[in-house]
Amino acid sequence: MCGIVGLLVKNQKMRSQLGELMLPMLIGMTDRGPDSAGLAVFGTPVPKNERKFNLYTADEDFNWQKLGHDFQAHLGNKADIALKVNHAVLTTSLEPTTVKVWLKDHYPQLHLLSVGQLMDVYKDTGTPAQVAARYDFQKLSGTHLVGHTRMATESAVTPQNAHPYTAGEDWCLVHNGSFSNPNSVRRMLQHKGIAFETDNDTEAACRFLEWRMREGDDLNTALHKGFEVLDGFYTLLMGTRDQLALVRDPFACKPAIVAEHDDYVAIASEYRSLAQLPDVKNAKLFEPMPEELYIWKV
Amino acid sequence: MESLDLHKITVRELNQYLHKEFPQKSDKKLEILNPDGVHSIAVGLDTEAEVDIKGHGGYYVGGHNKHAKITVHGNVGWGVAENMMSGQVRVKGFASESAGASGHGGTLIIEGDASLRCGISMKGIDIVVGGNVGNFSCFMAQAGRLVICGDAGDALGDSLYEAVIYVRGKVKSLGADAQEEPMTDADYAALKGLLDIAGFNHNPKEFKRIASAKTLYNWNADANQEY
Amino acid sequence: MSKKLVLEESAGFNRNVIEYIHRASATGLYEIRGIGAKRKLPHFDDLTFLAGSASRYPLEGYRERCTTKTILGTRFAKKPIELAIPITIAGMSFGALSANVKESLGRAATEMGTSTTTGDGGMTPEERNSSKTLVYQCLPSRYGFNPDDLRRADAIELVIGQGAKPGGGGMLLGQKVNPRVAGMRTLPVGVDQRSACRHPDWTGPDDLAIKVQELRELTDWEKPIYIKIGATRVFNDVKLAVHAGADVIVLDGMQGGTAATQTVFLEHIGIPTLAALRQAVEALEDMNMKDQVQLIISGGIRTGADVAKALAMGADAVAIGQGVLFSLGCNSETYVQNGQHISAEADYEALGTAPGFCHHCHTGKCPVGVTTQDAILEQRLQPDVASKRLRNYLKTLTMELTTVARACGKMNVHHLEREDLVALTIEAAAMANVPLAGTNWIPGARF
């Protein structure tokens, strides 16, 4: 059980304040999610032939320099590595598959959080305020982001079990609620060759959508198939290269509220998180209907 | 007009004041500023008073209200006026889920839309909604009346006992054991009374009556023979 | 010469199962009954104490004090509950039980310095006036729930579920919905009460946290908030209850009773009290909250030995429901009127049962006047007599508890610890996380 937040900044002049605007939204969801927090932010894309790999390690003394040297030595490519405490963004023009295989073979202790041109993902244990301070969320800039605060229901409290979950490139998902058949869904997908990192129920939904989109469904079709297959209570918020997407299950037992303003679109589990947004009293406030897909494009 | 600011005091301090000192005052009129979606504003009031909340409330605004008249100049979260015993709560914006849940008495007026499960488990409260209501409204409603000036979602009045629903707009679907019944003169009179309190200017003749078919009242009576 | 009678019963299709299939075929309905799970389950009987020895010195009875004082609700509440004994009376509804029973429970509890708990349907004046310490339940149905009773209560118990039927709601059949019960619950007289299994205004621990805050705001943060859970995913649920702000967690194992529910709930949903208690304690220790949040265990607590074992495993107190009703006369062959014992056997027979086997609480025709709303039957239980019986039972339990504690060298019953216990079966050892007697072996992984 958790809190979710989403923010899409339409006003180009405010994009440098994305993190500043989001921070009180995330902290406002601390009561709903005191165990861990995370977010995915979509910013300036790297060049078309390059990709960013967001990496996490539990070891704060990890030797990133050595990784950089090994990368160059084994793969003949100099990767750019940007660091924040125990989180690194590795940028390279090498094929993603090559990079992923190399990481798994040589640095299996690292957790690959995301792959993409625009998206960076941070997630860790701790209160939302602690996680935000650790990774300097306040300084983030970009067009849109998806954030989450976690109160673990069944699976463990670990960084890997925090949200967002990612699939493919520049695609992520956060979830408030509890799926009641995640284990069967996971087994079904594992039989189709899809790999799982955790036993978390949200990951089951994430990989299900990943599978459907890989099979050619658009997001709307994939989610409608999800209504049949995924059982339980959920508000799902997804981030892609250029949009935020939101859907609630038929019983709509987990809350959600949206504020649409000329300058931004903001989403949260409770209005409390939207109250400090600039000029929110002139925003259009509404609650999403169950079983409907809402999309906001950058 | 006395004014308390939730940017300056906590909701806990507010409620304790409303329970202890406020009822002793001669002129019980209060406005509450900067609610900003905080939960449990003005719960457990037990005095005749007028309370104006200037902004959006969180969950459970006016929960367990007795006697007081509360107006929210904005929207509210889940469970507005839940378990209300008497008095009145008016929401000028929209209400989130479970509005008036398990209310025993008094009147809840929502000028905008109410979300899912409006009037769930109600036990005598009257609820008047100016806009639409969401799915599962009046689920297991035992007593009281729900007036819907707009449309209703799916499963309206599922598992009703004796509560009555008056709906003006379209009903997406009726719940288990709910049925449409003809409006009587008594219904028209009751409905007019409720619309007047709410200040909604609709013609009662435009409304339908939904009530329990009562087929679930003793559904396992036959099995008694086996004991 | 007649043929020799050879009767070989099938274990899978025994007489009870054949009866179940016959009944289902005749009625097309599931069976509803009262009490709790009847089948044999690993329980406290499968544990035994390691008491005074050459290395542990017992305390003398009488002269060497053994304290039973118990405090519940220290985490947030301004006024925690102080009890003289760690044995409380579980939530049972007026409606399921008669008003005379509720009064008897209150009187005995007050005499023994412990608490009673309201049930589905709300608080009666009889119970509030007779019970010095009264815990007020907030259930999914919210029948009779109101702010005046909230303010009159000593603690509030927010019920997510109960051991007899985790995932199910309350049930009261039409024959027990008499005018008084109907009035309290805002139902038509004589109509079956349908059950809500979820609360109407919150779902999930994140929203539960907001509801708990509301209950605190309603009562100016004075009263402890208990959260009651039916034992299923105990390890996770206890952690979530702590996150949601519980002062006290009440955990009800599958042996827990009820006045009416489907047998499929009773026998096939939920886990045994022994396993539940172990997981709850582990969850609290894992969060380092064991000394801040108190734990009450219920579900088939019957004897002083059960109480002692529950405390040794880490509970702060127990709650008893069924045991208390048996004490008042449930399944007794006779009832007492004006000092005379009168046979009730004909009434048991009319229900198709006999003393020692009866589970017909749902019919409202309790032969001894316990689980009935019938004006004649309820007179078969007189509060003067019944409260004295219950007081005696609670006294016996307390004496057995202190006897065990003293034998283990404890001057305070809360000093009993799980290392004072060993198991007599492999299942109990695994479930309770104590070694099999005579060995150092605890079967299975940690959890």
Side-chain angles (χ1 to χ4, degrees), chain A:
Chain A
M1 289 301 159
C2 318
I4 61 177
V5 300
L7 185 60
L8 188 152
V9 180
K10 296 193 247 183
N11 181 339
Q12 299 209 357
K13 288 190 229 117
M14 289 170 74
R15 286 180 179 164
S16 58
Q17 297 164 279
L18 183 68
E20 241 178 82
L21 292 168
M22 173 277 301
L23 193 56
M25 289 174 71
L26 193 72
I27 310 269
M29 293 287 88
T30 302
D31 288 344
R32 297 185 77 87
D35 297 330
S36 3
L39 61 75
V41 57
F42 294 80
T44 317
V46 294
K48 241 185 140 89
N49 63 325
E50 290 181 7
R51 294 289 182 282
K52 296 197 276 182
F53 297 79
N54 274 237
L55 297 162
Y56 172 95
T57 172
D59 174 12
E60 296 201 359
D61 296 320
F62 181 80
N63 191 343
W64 291 99
Q65 268 205 314
K66 179 171 188 299
L67 182 142
H69 285 144
D70 288 345
F71 193 88
Q72 179 150 28
H74 297 164
L75 299 169
N77 177 290
K78 189 172 193 309
D80 180 68
I81 299 179
L83 282 181
K84 257 183 205 173
V85 191
N86 54 344
H87 179 279
V89 180
L90 186 155
T91 310
T92 172
S93 54
L94 280 182
E95 264 293 303
T97 330
T98 313
V99 178
K100 285 199 262 190
V101 168
W102 183 84
L103 283 168
K104 223 179 159 78
D105 285 343
H106 292 88
Y107 287 94
Q109 71 274 49
L110 293 180
H111 180 55
L112 178 62
L113 291 164
S114 67
V115 181
Q117 289 190 285
L118 299 107
M119 186 175 77
D120 286 324
V121 170
Y122 301 86
K123 56 185 193 178
D124 209 344
T125 54
T127 66
Q130 287 168 337
V131 176
R134 190 175 308 143
Y135 301 117
D136 240 343
F137 280 175
Q138 194 153 18
K139 299 227 179 72
L140 291 172
S141 65
T143 49
H144 55 296
L145 63 73
V146 160
H148 184 268
T149 63
R150 184 167 184 246
M151 182 194 292
T153 46
E154 288 184 24
S155 50
V157 182
T158 67
Q160 290 81 348
N161 274 295
H163 308 198
Y165 281 89
T166 66
E169 290 187 15
D170 290 321
W171 194 94
C172 74
L173 172 151
V174 296
H175 165 224
N176 176 205
S178 179
F179 290 105
S180 61
N181 66 340
N183 303 295
S184 334
V185 172
R186 182 187 328 116
R187 280 190 283 274
M188 181 262 292
L189 295 169
Q190 282 171 329
H191 285 311
K192 296 193 194 303
I194 293 171
F196 275 73
E197 294 166 353
T198 69
D199 61 353
N200 187 297
D201 63 327
T202 304
E203 191 181 1
C206 179
R207 303 277 162 249
F208 174 83
L209 294 171
E210 175 183 357
W211 169 57
R212 287 319 313 157
M213 292 190 293
R214 193 197 299 186
E215 297 292 303
D217 289 350
D218 64 10
L219 184 58
N220 204 348
T221 312
L223 282 166
H224 273 90
K225 295 209 174 121
F227 293 146
E228 303 288 308
V229 172
L230 299 167
D231 206 344
F233 296 155
Y234 51 92
T235 295
L236 292 177
L237 180 62
M238 290 149 282
T240 72
R241 299 178 66 92
D242 61 353
Q243 64 190 36
L244 290 179
L246 175 85
V247 73
R248 300 173 78 189
D249 75 84
F251 294 101
C253 275
K254 299 318 299 176
I257 183 162
V258 179
E260 281 181 349
H261 188 280
D262 288 338
D263 289 338
Y264 56 80
V265 176
I267 300 142
S269 300
E270 297 172 27
Y271 176 73
R272 266 197 297 178
S273 270
L274 305 178
Q276 287 103 324
L277 285 166
D279 200 38
V280 72
K281 64 179 182 300
N282 286 323
K284 175 186 163 212
L285 291 170
F286 67 94
E287 294 190 335
M289 301 290 279
E291 282 186 290
E292 264 182 50
L293 178 61
Y294 292 78
I295 293 181
W296 298 275
K297 286 188 142 72
V298 167

Side-chain angles (χ1 to χ4, degrees), chain B residues 12 15-16 19-20 40 44 59-60 66 82-83 98 102 104 123 142 159 161 217-220 226, chain C residues 30 78 141-143 145 148 151 185-186 190-192 194 200-201 207 211 214 217-218 220-221:
Chain B
R12 184 171 166 177
N15 285 323
Q16 284 191 154
H19 299 158
K20 302 211 155 76
S40 299
Y59 287 26
Y60 310 133
K66 275 177 84 176
E82 68 93 11
N83 223 100
S98 303
S102 195
H104 291 252
K123 296 169 169 61
Q142 298 165 231
S159 241
Y161 286 91
Y217 268 27
N218 291 99
W219 66 279
N220 66 345
E226 296 295 317
Chain C
Y30 40 57
K78 288 186 207 157
S141 70
R142 306 288 169 88
Y143 290 129
F145 198 60
D148 297 317
R151 289 186 267 259
R185 299 187 188 208
T186 323
V191 161
D192 289 343
R194 274 162 268 150
D201 56 357
D207 293 311
K211 186 67 186 174
E214 189 211 8
E217 290 296 326
L218 283 164
D220 294 323
W221 288 73

Side-chain angles (χ1 to χ4, degrees), chain C residues 154-182:
Chain C
D154 298 295
I156 301 158
E157 184 170 288
L158 201 155
V159 177
I160 299 177
Q162 63 179 109
K165 45 189 149 175
M171 178 181 282
L172 198 66
L173 297 179
Q175 56 266 31
K176 293 177 87 169
V177 185
N178 69 6
R180 185 178 178 193
V181 171

Side-chain angles (χ1 to χ4, degrees), chain C residues 30 50 74 87 100 170 188 208 223 230 233 246 305 311 332 337 340 356 368 399 422 427 435:
Chain C
Y30 40 57
L50 304 174
T74 54
I87 306 166
N100 282 348
L208 170 59
K223 303 172 203 282
R233 296 184 165 82
L311 262 53
S332 182
Q337 297 275 257
Q340 299 294 312
V368 290
M399 288 174 71
V422 289
E427 286 95 339

Side-chain angles (χ1 to χ4, degrees), chain B:
Chain B
M1 159 91 89
E2 188 184 357
S3 197
L4 289 173
D5 186 345
L6 283 171
H7 277 179
K8 302 207 177 99
I9 66 171
T10 65
V11 76
R12 184 171 166 177
E13 288 163 334
L14 168 69
N15 285 323
Q16 284 191 154
Y17 171 71
L18 288 174
H19 299 158
K20 302 211 155 76
E21 290 98 342
F22 184 66
Q24 319 302 334
K25 305 190 82 155
S26 48
D27 181 29
K28 286 179 280 199
K29 282 202 169 83
L30 172 71
E31 67 172 15
I32 298 171
L33 305 176
N34 294 313
D36 281 355
V38 158
H39 304 306
S40 299
I41 298 173
V43 299
L45 269 165
D46 187 3
T47 187
E48 283 180 27
E50 273 177 44
V51 177
D52 281 81
I53 298 169
K54 302 301 208 97
H56 305 304
Y59 287 26
Y60 310 133
V61 173
H64 288 248
N65 184 47
K66 275 177 84 176
H67 307 307
K69 192 166 169 210
I70 302 172
T71 306
V72 182
H73 300 261
N75 311 321
V76 293
W78 284 45
V80 60
E82 68 93 11
N83 223 100
M84 169 154 71
M85 305 303 290
S86 62
Q88 188 188 105
V89 175
R90 179 183 288 268
V91 176
K92 296 205 146 279
F94 65 78
S96 188
E97 305 194 18
S98 303
S102 195
H104 291 252
T107 313
L108 169 63
I109 302 141
I110 299 160
E111 296 184 3
D113 293 336
S115 180
L116 288 88
R117 288 176 273 278
C118 180
I120 180 175
S121 195
M122 59 192 231
K123 296 169 169 61
I125 188 177
D126 288 325
I127 306 176
V128 188
V129 180
N132 306 325
V133 302
N135 301 342
F136 309 110
S137 287
C138 262
F139 176 65
M140 294 187 92
Q142 298 165 231
R145 291 145 324 163
L146 171 62
V147 177
I148 307 162
C149 299
D151 301 329
D154 274 320
L156 179 66
D158 192 292
S159 241
L160 270 181
Y161 286 91
E162 302 284 299
V164 172
I165 305 170
Y166 300 116
V167 54
R168 182 169 162 267
K170 294 188 294 289
V171 174
K172 192 143 179 259
S173 69
L174 288 173
D177 207 36
Q179 64 186 13
E180 191 181 330
E181 296 178 350
M183 293 279 281
T184 66
D185 287 339
D187 286 311
Y188 287 123
L191 178 52
K192 176 102 183 32
L194 291 167
L195 289 168
D196 284 347
I197 293 175
F200 300 147
N201 211 356
H202 298 297
N203 184 349
K205 298 279 185 197
E206 293 175 351
F207 287 75
K208 294 192 288 279
R209 172 188 158 107
I210 308 287
S212 174
K214 302 189 183 175
T215 63
L216 299 180
Y217 268 27
N218 291 99
W219 66 279
N220 66 345
D222 286 346
N224 286 348
Q225 300 149 13
E226 296 295 317
Y227 294 142

